[in-house]
Amino acid sequence: MVTRFNRRKFLVYGSATLGTSMLLKACGGTTTTDTGEADGGTETAAADGETIKVGILHSLSGTMAISETTVVDAEMLAIKEINAAGGVLGKQIEAVTEDGASDWPTFAEKAEKLIDQDQVAVVFGCWTSASRKAVLPVFESKNHMLWYPVQYEGQECSQNIFYTGAAPNQQIEPAVDWLLENKSKDFFLVGSDYVFPRTANTIIKEQLAAKGGNTVGEDYLPLGNTEVTPIITKIKAALPDGGVIFNSLNGDSNVAFFKQLQGAGMGPDQYPVMSVSVAEEEVRQIGTEFLTGHLASWNYFQTVETPENEKWVADFKAEFGDDRVTNDPMEAAYIMVYLWKQAVEAAGTTDIPEVRTAAYGQEMAAPEGPVTMNPNHHLSKTVRIGEVMDDGMFNILWETDGPIDPEPWNQFVPDTIGFACDWSDPAKGGKFEI
Amino acid sequence: MLEGLIGGLFNGISIGAVLLIVALGLAIVFGLMGVINLAHGELMMFGAYTTFVVQNVAKSMGGIAPEIYVFAALPLAFVVSALLGLLLERTVIRYLYGRPLETLLATWGVSLILIQLIRSISWPMVIGLVIFATLFLIGRWALTRYTDWDRISQWANPIFLGLSVAIAAVVSFLVQSSGSSQFVRPWFGAQNVDVTPPSWLRGGVAIGSALQFPYARLFIIVLTILCLVAVYWFLNGTAWGLRIRSVTQNRGMSACLGIPTERVDALTFALGSGLAGIAGFAVTLLGSVGPNLGGNYIVDAFMVVVVGGVGKLVGSIVAALVIGIVTYLVGSGTIALILPPTAFFQPAIDFFNFFATTSMAKVMVFALIIAFLQVRPAGLFPPKGRSVEL
Amino acid sequence: MSTKVLDIQDVTVSFDGFKAINHLNFSMDEGELRVIIGPNGAGKTTFLDVITGKTKPTEGAAYFKGQDLRKFKEHEISRLGIGRKFQTPRVYLNLTPRENLDLSCNRDKNVFATLFKKAPPAEKRTVSGLLETIGLDHKADIPAALLSHGEKQWLEIGMLVAQSPDLLLVDEPVAGLTDEETEQTGNLLMSLAESHSIVVIEHDMEFVRQIARQVTVLHQGSVLCEGTMDEVQNDPKVIEVYLGKETTLTPEQMLLLRIAATMAWADDNFADVQQEVILDRLSRRFAHNPDEQASLRDDLKDLLAKEIPLEELVPQLTTPAQREEALMLSYEVISANQINQSEAVVYQKLLTMLNLPPDTVSRLEAAAREALAASN
Amino acid sequence: MTTEVTTQPRRAAQASQKRKFMIEAIAVIAIALILIVLMPMLLTGFRLNLLGRFLALAIVALGIDLIWGFTGLLSLGHGIFFALGGYAFAMYLELNTLGEGQLPEFFGLYGVTEMPLFWQPFNSFPFTLLAIFLIPAIVAGLLGYLVFRNRIRGVYFSILTQAALVVFFNFFNGQQKLINGTNGLKTSTSMFMGQQVGSDGMRMFFYISTVIALIAMYALCRWLTSGRFGRMLVAIRDDENRVRFSGYDPTAYKVLVFAVSGAIAGVAGALYTVQSGIISPQVMDIAFSIEMVIWVAVGGRATLVGAILGAVLVNMARSLLSERFPDVWLFFQGALFLIVVTALPDGIIGWGRRQFGSAVSSTLGLAPTNLPYLDDSPEPEAVVETPEFADK
C-alpha cells in the first residue's frame, strides 16, 4: 500500500516538477507494478471488480492522431452512454487510453501493456493496417480480443480481431462496379504508399480486368508528401479525354492532391475522383471548394436517413460541439462498443472465448442501418456512394438494397479466390477453401 | 513536343519555386549565421496557421474579404513567424552561436515543442502560460531588486521556476476543468485545418489544348521572385544589410567597428523566420495545413542549401530549380518517355520507369546529390579563399 | 649542387581571380633557418598552405627534396617529412600533452596499426624527453585545454618535433607570448635549427632579429626581396611596403578615435553633434590640407566603434602627450551635448586611469570648452 | 574549469589506472548479474521485455557515442543501420518459420510468386548472423567513405545522413513487393531454434542475449576508445587538420569508426526487433534517429556509461510519461533537448562528476578525474569560424 501513496504523491508533484520526478517515477514504476494493482490512475480503480476495464489504443500523437482522435471520441461517447444506461453486466466500463503515437512498435508495446498490466477485457483500437498488423501477433499470442473500426484491405481474418469497418467487397468493389456503369471504363489509380492502397489497387486491377475496364496507370505518394505535380502530369497524359481517378490517398496528401487537381483545371465532370479514404472529417480539412462533385464510397454518411443516425448525430454534437461531424470510421467505432456490450451480455461474462462465440450473429440497428456480426468476424453492412455537396456533406447517389455480407478473402485476387473464413466452426477457421 | 517541354519546364520550376521559398529563410539563417534551424518547418507552420486564422476572420466578415484576405495574411504570416523567430533567437539560439551541432539539437527540441503547442493550445493553456510568465518575471524582478540576488540565485532560481510552473499548472488545470467546453477546447487541435485560397487563385490559365498553368503555382513563382528581390535588395542595398554581411564576414571586427552584432543576429534570424512564415503562407495554396506541415519540407530544403553552397543566394536558386526539375522529370516518368523505345534503350527505360514514382524519385535525387557532392563537395557556388579551404 | 630541401617554382594561387600568390619563386637549402616576413595579405600563410598540400597551386610546382608536392595529399606530405605549426596553437584540447605528443610520435600511422599495436618503449622515451624539452613534464597528464597560451604554442612545437620532420614550417610562433616566453621560443627554434631545416613566418621584428640569418620579404604574393635582416630593413621597397601610402590611419589615430567613440557611447546615445566633434578634431589634428581632411573624415566615420572597454584602450597610450590629447578630446565629446550621469561616470573612470596631474586636467578642460565654443 | 594540476609520479598514475580497470570490470559484472538474475525476479514479463528493448536501444546509443561523443561526427542516420540489422534478422526468422518451398505470406498479397534473390542467403543462420554486423557496417562504410573523402563534415555530414535516412525510408516503405513496405516484418509468431519468438522462454533468451550483447559492445567500445586509437578519435574531434598535418589520414579512421558504429546499431536493431515483435520502416523515422542522439547527450557524451544510462532513462521516462500523459511527452522531450544543450552539456554523468566526482573517486582510491567534455571550439578564434568547411 505504500506504493499507492507514492503514486499519488508523484502525480501531484509530477505536474510541478516534471523532469526529475518523472524519471524517479519511472524507476519506481518498474519495480512495483507486479503487484498487479490498477494502474489507470483513476479513482474508480480502487475497488477491484466494480468496473470492467477496456483498452482504447489509438494514436493521440504523430501523423495519425488527426484521424484517430475522432474515433476515440466516438468510442468514449459510446462508453459514456452505456455507463449512463447502467453499464455492462451491472458494472461500469472504465476506459484505459493508450497512445500508439503513430508508431507501429509502440502500438504493439501498448497493446501488451493493456493486456498484461491493465488486464483489460477488450481493446478497441488501431487505424492503419500497419498498426493492426503490428498488434496482431500480440493479440494472437495472448489469445485476446481487438475490435477494429476502419475499412481496410481485407486478406486477413484473425480469430482475435473483430472488424467493424468495410471489407473491400463492401466498399471498393461496389464503387468500381458503379463507376464502370455510370462514369467511365478508364481508371487511374492514385494512392498513398502503404499497404491499404497497394492492396486495394491490386484488387481493383483484377476487378477491372475481369469486368472490362482499363487501368491506365497507377502511382503512389509517400505518406505526408504534398508535391503531386508529377502525378497530375501522369494522369493528364494517361487520360487526355477524362476518366475516373480512383483515389486511396491518405491524410495530408489528399489536400494537396485536390487543391492542385483543381489548379490543373481537372474538374469532377471530366475527371471524377472516387475516394475511399475521404469522409466528412477529411472534407472539412480539405475544403469543400475543391471537392464538390467528387465521389466517395462508404457504408455510412452523416446524411444517412435513419432515426438511429439522427439521434446519434445529435448526441455527438451535444457532446463534442456543433461544428463536429460524424463519419464512417467513427460510426464503426461507436457501434463496435455496443456490439461488444451485446456480446458480453449474451455471454454473461467478459471472458474472451465466451464473448467471441456470443458475438457471432449479434445484430444491431446502427446509424448506418441494420448490421450483423458474421462468423468471419466482419460485419454485414450497407454500401453507399455519395457526392460531395457545397456544405461538406454527402449527397447519397446510390445504396445497396440491404446489407452486403463481408468477404475477407478477396474473390478477385487469384491467390485468394475460393477462400473464406468461419471461426464458428473449428474445422474451417481463418482460411478455408469453399 | 514543344508543349511537353514547356509543361515540363513549368512544372519543374513550380516545384523548384516551392523548394526555394522554403529554403530561402533557411539559407539566410544557415549561410549568414551558421545556425542549423530544424524548427524552420515549424515556423512555416505558424505562418500557415496565421493564414488560417486570417482566412477565418475574413470569412466571418463576408463581402469581398474572403477574396482578398491573402494580402493581409501574407504580411501577417511574415510578422508572426518573425516575432516567434525573434523570441527563439533571444531565448535559445544566441547562446549557441558558433556551435552548429548544438543549434541543430536545440532547434529540434523547439520544433517538438511548437508542434505540440499548436496541437494543444487552448485558453486554459494560454492562461497558464501568461500566469507563469508573469509570476516568474515579476518574481525575478522583485528578487533581484530587493535581495542579494547573486548570493541566492543558486537555489532561488530553480525554486522560483518550480513554484511558478506549479501555480500556473494548477490554475490552468482548474480553468480547464471548470470552463465551458467551448472555452477549454484546443484552438486548432491535432486535425488538419482547411485553408481555402480565394477563388481567383483556384483555377488555372490554359495554354493550348493540354497545358494549364495553375494560378496558385504562378502566384507562388511570382511570390518567390519577389522575396528573392526583396532579400537581395535588403542585403545589398540597405544599411542593415551591410551590417549583416559584415557580421557574417568578421564578427569580431564588426563589433569593434560599432556594429551592434547582437541586434544584427536577432534581425537576421527574424528575417529568416519571417521568410519561413511566407513560405508557410505559400504552401497553404498547395497542400494541407496541420501540425506536421513543417516536417514534410525541411529535409528537401536542407538539400537545396547543401547543394547550393553556403552563403550564396544564387547557389540556392540554381539548386532549387535543378532539384525541382530533376524531381519532376524523374518522378513523372518523362525521361523514360523521351528515350526512343528501341531495344538499345530498353534497359535505360526500365531503369527510369523503376524510379518513376514520387517515392523512388526521391531516392534517385538523393543519389544524384551524393554523386554531385563527389565532384563539388562545397556545393554549386562554394565560398572561396584561404579561410574556407581545408 | 646539392638538392634544395624546398624549391618553389613560379607558383600562382588564385581564388576567384584574386591572386594570393603570384608567380612566386623560392628555394632554400638543407639545414637553413629562413624567416619570412611581409604585411597582412602578403600570402604568407597561403605559401605554407601550398607546401603542405592544403591548397593546390593554380600554376607552377613545389618540390620537397626533388619530389613534386602536387602529387600528394596533406597527410602524405606530412609523412614525407614536412611538419607544420599553425598560427593559433592547434593541439588536441581534450588530450593530455603526453597523449598529444604520443600521437605525433607514432611511426606507423595506418588505421589498423594504431588500433592493434602498442606504443614501443622507444617512442615512450622520446615523448618523455620531449616533455622535458618543452617544459611540460609536470603538466604531462592534464588536458591540454588547461594549458596557458604559451604552453600550447610550445606543445605544438613539441608535436612538430615528435614527428621528426626534415622541414619545419612555423607560423607566428610567438604571437601572444610574453617577452620571456618569446625569447625562450627563439632559443628553442635556434637549437632545432641545428638539425632541421626551418621556415618561420613572423610579424614580431624583435623576434625576427633574434633568430634570423636569412630573411625573405613577401608582398602581394611574390618575393619582394631576400637577404640578411639588415639588408632587408634598409631596402627602400620594403620600407615603402611597410609604411605604405595606402593606409592613412595610424595606430595612434585609431586609439584616439576609439577612446572618443567609447566616451560618446557612454550614455548609449551617440549624438550627431558628438560625432561631428570627433571627426572634426581628429581630421584637423592629423591632416593638413582640406582634401586630406575630408578623406580622413570619411575613413574615420566608418570606424566609430561602439564601446570598447577603456581598460583595454587606455594602457595603450604611451606618451603623456597622447594621454592629454585623449583627455581633451574625450571632454570635448561629452560636453558637445549635455553631460549626463553615465557620461560623467565614464569620464571619471577615464580620469583615474589616465592619472594626469589635476592642474593639467583643468587646463585641458578649459581648452576644450574654448575649442567647443569656438567651433559653435 | 578548475586547473587541478596533478604532479604525482607516473608510476602512481599507472597503479591508479590498473585499479580503475579492476573496479570497472567488477562493476560491469555486477551490473550484468543484476540485470540477468535480479531483474527477471523483480519485474513482470511486460516490464522486463520493455527493459530488454531499452537495453537494445542502449546498444545503439553506444554506437552513437562512438561516432559523436568521441569522434565529433553527429550522425542523424543511425536509423538506417538499426533497420538493416533488424531486417536482416527478421528476414531470417520469416524464412525459418516457413516450410520448404513456401513463400512469406505477404508476397501473396502483391502477387509475387518467386522469392526475390536477395532473400535467398537469409535461409542460413550463420550468414544472417554475419549480415547483422556486416550489412550495416558496409553501408555505413560506403556512405562514410563517399562523404568523408570529400571532407564533408560538421553539420553537412549530419544533414546528409539525415537525407540518406529519408531515402532509405522511402525505399523500404515503397518496396512492398520486396520487403512488405510500411507493414514491415513481424517476428513474434516466427520460429527461432524451434520455439516461437514471442514465447516467454524465447523472450527471456533474447533479454539475456541483449544484456550480453550490451556488455560485449561496451567492451568493444571501451577497447576502441582507450589506447591510441581512441585518442586518435578524440584528436579528430578536436582538430582534424592537425591530425592530417601530423601525417594521419583522418578519412580512414572516420570511415572505420562510422562502420563500427553502424554495425553496433545493426546488432541493436536485430535485438530490438525480436523483442518488440516487428521491424518496419518506421524505425527510419527522422525523429527516432535524432532521439538516439539525445539519449547520448542526456547521459553524457564521450562517456560510454552515459550513453547506456541516457538511453535507458529517457526511454523509461517516455514509456511511463506517455502512458499517463500522452500530450505531455512532446513538450517533455523538446524541453529535454533544450536543457541538455543549454544547461547540461556534459549530461548526467558530467554533472554527477562535477558534483560528486572527487568524493567518489577518493572513496575508491583513484586519482581525481578531471575530464569535462570540452567544447568543440573553446578557442575564441574558432568560435567565429563559419561552420562548414571553414577552418582557419
Side-chain angles (χ1 to χ4, degrees), chain D residues 208-221:
Chain D
I208 293 171
S209 310
T210 309
V211 175
I212 292 169
L214 179 63
I215 289 166
M217 292 303 142
Y218 175 79
L220 173 71
C221 292

Side-chain angles (χ1 to χ4, degrees), chain B residues 19-38 40-41 44 228 231 235 244 248 268-269 271-273 275-276 279 298 300-320, chain D residues 156 159 386-388:
Chain B
L19 283 177
L20 182 54
I21 201 165
V22 175
L24 193 57
L26 211 56
I28 288 179
V29 169
F30 183 30
L32 298 184
M33 308 171 76
V35 170
I36 300 289
N37 185 9
L38 283 186
H40 192 78
M44 275 175 70
L228 277 175
V231 166
L235 288 182
I244 288 175
T248 309
T268 316
F269 198 83
L271 175 69
S273 309
L275 286 169
I298 189 84
D300 291 338
F302 268 116
M303 285 293 97
V304 169
V305 178
V306 168
V307 172
V310 166
K312 285 273 172 96
L313 280 184
V314 60
S316 301
I317 297 170
V318 176
Chain D
Y156 273 74
I159 293 172
T386 24
E388 0 45 69

Side-chain angles (χ1 to χ4, degrees), chain A residues 27-144:
Chain A
C27 307
T30 31
T31 50
T32 54
T33 37
D34 50 350
T35 52
E37 61 163 42
D39 207 53
T42 51
E43 289 300 317
T44 44
D48 207 14
E50 283 175 12
T51 64
I52 295 176
K53 284 208 256 179
V54 302
I56 306 260
L57 177 57
H58 289 285
S59 301
L60 306 177
S61 56
T63 29
M64 290 312 299
I66 292 166
S67 305
E68 294 194 49
T69 42
T70 62
V71 174
V72 175
D73 287 345
E75 285 159 11
M76 296 312 270
L77 177 64
I79 291 171
K80 192 176 166 188
E81 287 175 2
I82 292 171
N83 280 342
V88 183
L89 300 177
K91 296 178 184 174
Q92 293 283 299
I93 302 177
E94 180 198 336
V96 183
T97 309
E98 282 296 343
D99 178 14
S102 309
D103 179 54
W104 318 151
T106 306
F107 266 96
E109 177 191 324
K110 299 296 185 186
E112 223 166 292
K113 187 226 160 213
L114 285 171
I115 296 169
D116 284 354
Q117 199 159 321
D118 300 319
Q119 314 251 317
V120 295
V122 64
V123 176
F124 302 109
C126 299
W127 177 291
T128 60
S129 288
S131 64
R132 188 191 67 250
K133 296 259 188 208
V135 299
L136 180 66
V138 177
F139 284 91
E140 285 185 343
S141 63
K142 300 189 186 292
N143 195 13
H144 212 270

Side-chain angles (χ1 to χ4, degrees), chain B residues 264-287:
Chain B
V264 167
D265 290 334
L267 182 84
T268 316
F269 198 83
L271 175 69
S273 309
L275 286 169
I278 291 187
F281 161 82
V283 299
T284 62
L285 302 176
L286 299 176

Side-chain angles (χ1 to χ4, degrees), chain A residues 337-358:
Chain A
V337 182
Y338 273 98
L339 284 166
W340 170 77
K341 170 195 170 237
Q342 288 180 10
V344 170
E345 283 175 343
T349 169
T350 55
D351 290 351
I352 307 275
E354 282 82 355
V355 175
R356 187 184 299 143
T357 325

